[in-house]
Amino acid sequence: MFTAKTSRWFFAAMLIFIGILAGVLLTANLNLIHKGKAGSESEVRARLEERMATMLEFSEGFSAVAEYVTPSVVTVETERKVYVNTTSPFPSDPFGDFFGGDDFFRRFFGPPRNQPRQEQRLQGLGSGVIVSEDGYVLTNNHVIDKMDNIKVTLSNGKSYDSKLIGADPRTDLAVLRIDEKGLPAIKMANSDQIKVGQWAIAVGNPFSKSLSQTVTAGIVSGLSRSSVGLDTDVDFLQTDAAINPGNSGGALVNLSGQLLGINTAILSRSGGYEGIGFAIPSNTARSIMEQIIKNGKVIRGYVGIRMQDVDEQMARAMGLGKAQGAVIADIVKDSPADKADLHQGDVIIKVDGQEVADGSAIRKAIVRRAPGTKVALTILREGTETVVYVTLAEFPDEDVQMKEDSAARKSSEIIGIKVSNASSELAGKYGFGADEKGVVIVDIDQSGPAFRAGLREGDLIKRVGKREVRNLKDYSDAMAGLNKGDTALFLVNRRGTSMFMAFTVPNQ
């Protein structure tokens, strides 16, 4: 028989028992729920391994692309003969570097005369891409420019002397050929279909031959990059795949092993890779290559105008609604522009109905069209919009221009200056008229005879002796008529003021 006291103890014990049982059941239920969601530890690891296998397969895809593409990428070795001074004009300096060696004496006594010169070999290294089974190789013009010998080495170590088929400085492309058949030619992608964010793999030879066939990966980080500090007709691909010196001319490919572009330049403050590289798109490379193989050169359309970009201040001064297009600063005589109804001061805002942002965009739109093509230029003239039709001529032969540049450079080095054709850009920089003809001193050796005679950077050379100078060819011809020891008489324009300068051509 339960008393009231025992009854209370009994009910208390039952409550404790029920509480413990409920806790046990709840814990078991939670464990079941957890196991139902996550599974056992072995099951979790199995799922992780499955995901890791997927990543491994993705990684092996990169290895497969690298193995597939590498035989199509070659090493381009170049060599050029140069002459350097090898003998000090002064006796051995007993104080060594205390006074800075020979440089100390040069600062006070000037450069030596008739110093012995010795032949040396200047060597360079770059990359290239095999683009046909019968030996055509695509690379950068700056890799082979001014080089005497060009050697191509395949990934298997076999080397060939190559022939330069042609080069195009405006796009920084060059085509080589080696005497071999059955080569592993790369497949080209359609660069018009490239999207920002897709994977990109760069293959080349950074820094040295010992680091040949190096592969780096990244993404395409930008398209149609034209304002990258290079004077070219290319809208570059931008990538964060590491590109270093020696990678120039190498391949930028997609995950199908197709050529996206030719690696060309980097954006760098140190000279090394800093996160942004640029490649010439495959469609541009293919077009230039085909023209070089067929014609030996690139044929471009030509209007015959010199332009200046319209900035905000100019737009306000000219009463334009916005800063757009380019103003015609000068028209070349007897050019298509001279024969059409184009005037100095016209602002070009469209080419064939497409708006253009600046002079660079106008130039690219023109040079990509064939000579003989009729182009519609939409212009603003005194606030009125009108369309002028121009029939394009062939762009002046760049080989001729390069020869003129070379002759002018050689003759200028003797007197210690560097010159360039007058242009609207140089006119704005150095303060002479945009319609002035001549050659401009863009650099001057302060120890040379020209500087000592009073010539300065920015001087516009109008005449040499009795010869009028309108361009580099005139200047080269005039300089060619001067002999060692002759007195050179220059007529120059310095910020609107004309003056004569005379000096003796040195005997070297």
Side-chain angles (χ1 to χ4, degrees), residues 125-128 139-140 142-143 243-250 262-265:
L125 184 71
S127 306
T139 187
N140 285 139
H142 75 260
V143 171
I243 296 175
N244 278 297
N247 275 112
S248 291
I262 300 295
N263 299 326
T264 299

Side-chain angles (χ1 to χ4, degrees), residues 121-365:
R121 296 285 176 173
L122 178 66
Q123 295 180 326
L125 184 71
S127 306
V129 183
I130 299 171
V131 291
S132 74
E133 295 182 355
D134 58 347
Y136 285 107
V137 174
L138 198 56
T139 187
N140 285 139
N141 175 68
H142 75 260
V143 171
I144 55 84
D145 189 32
K146 300 181 181 67
M147 291 298 176
D148 301 321
N149 301 306
I150 306 170
K151 185 170 71 172
V152 169
T153 302
L154 306 186
S155 61
N156 60 13
K158 193 171 182 179
S159 295
Y160 303 81
D161 290 328
S162 71
K163 178 183 178 182
L164 176 61
I165 302 301
D168 182 48
R170 293 300 314 169
T171 53
D172 195 20
L173 287 168
V175 179
L176 311 175
R177 192 171 191 183
I178 60 177
D179 186 15
E180 188 59 274
K181 306 291 183 182
L183 295 171
I186 201 164
K187 296 178 181 178
M188 289 195 175
N190 181 355
S191 56
D192 290 340
Q193 297 178 353
I194 296 173
K195 297 180 180 179
V196 172
Q198 75 176 75
W199 284 101
I201 299 175
V203 185
N205 308 291
F207 297 113
S208 68
K209 191 176 179 181
S210 62
L211 298 177
S212 64
Q213 306 301 326
T214 297
V215 178
T216 55
I219 63 169
V220 175
S221 54
L223 302 174
S224 300
R225 301 302 199 207
S226 57
S227 301
V228 299
L230 299 175
D231 182 22
T232 73
D233 292 331
V234 177
D235 290 325
F236 290 95
L237 300 176
Q238 178 182 303
T239 179
D240 65 350
I243 296 175
N244 278 297
N247 275 112
S248 291
L252 186 72
V253 302
N254 59 21
L255 293 187
S256 297
Q258 298 173 324
L259 184 71
L260 297 177
I262 300 295
N263 299 326
T264 299
I266 57 175
L267 186 64
S268 173
R269 293 182 178 87
S270 64
Y273 170 71
E274 291 183 9
I276 297 179
F278 300 98
I280 301 167
S282 57
N283 287 1
T284 300
R286 181 192 288 112
S287 173
I288 297 300
M289 175 189 69
E290 289 174 349
Q291 288 197 61
I292 288 176
I293 292 174
K294 181 180 178 181
N295 306 313
K297 63 178 183 178
V298 178
I299 298 175
R300 294 181 166 90
Y302 174 68
V303 174
I305 56 176
R306 295 189 180 95
M307 299 174 288
Q308 185 175 348
D309 290 346
V310 176
D311 56 21
E312 294 289 347
Q313 188 172 358
M314 188 181 297
R316 286 195 298 270
M318 300 178 73
L320 304 178
K322 59 180 178 179
Q324 176 195 1
V327 60
I328 298 177
D330 194 13
I331 295 177
V332 179
K333 187 177 180 181
D334 296 327
S335 68
D338 192 30
K339 297 172 184 177
D341 186 28
L342 288 175
H343 300 166
Q344 191 177 43
D346 289 346
V347 179
I348 302 174
I349 58 173
K350 295 179 184 177
V351 177
D352 282 340
Q354 299 294 317
E355 289 192 354
V356 284
D358 51 27
S360 175
I362 295 169
R363 174 185 167 82
K364 289 175 184 176

Side-chain angles (χ1 to χ4, degrees), residues 90-136:
F90 304 106
S92 178
D93 177 13
F95 298 102
D97 291 336
F98 183 77
F99 287 115
D102 289 348
D103 287 339
F104 172 79
F105 291 96
R106 285 191 179 94
R107 285 196 297 270
F108 287 91
F109 299 105
R113 296 183 179 180
N114 302 320
Q115 186 170 338
R117 296 164 69 82
Q118 183 177 17
E119 177 185 315
Q120 287 190 1
R121 296 285 176 173
L122 178 66
Q123 295 180 326
L125 184 71
S127 306
V129 183
I130 299 171
V131 291
S132 74
E133 295 182 355
D134 58 347
Y136 285 107

Side-chain angles (χ1 to χ4, degrees), residues 430-433 436 458-460 492-499:
Y430 293 121
F432 56 85
E436 291 275 8
D459 285 351
L460 177 67
V492 303
N493 179 318
R494 182 178 296 167
R495 296 191 176 277
T497 301
S498 295
M499 59 188 74

Side-chain angles (χ1 to χ4, degrees), residues 427-441:
K429 180 177 180 180
Y430 293 121
F432 56 85
D435 58 345
E436 291 275 8
K437 300 293 189 298
V439 296
V440 185
I441 299 176

Side-chain angles (χ1 to χ4, degrees), residues 26-39:
L26 180 60
T27 302
N29 189 48
L30 290 174
N31 286 335
L32 287 172
I33 293 172
H34 177 72
K35 287 184 178 180
K37 287 184 177 180

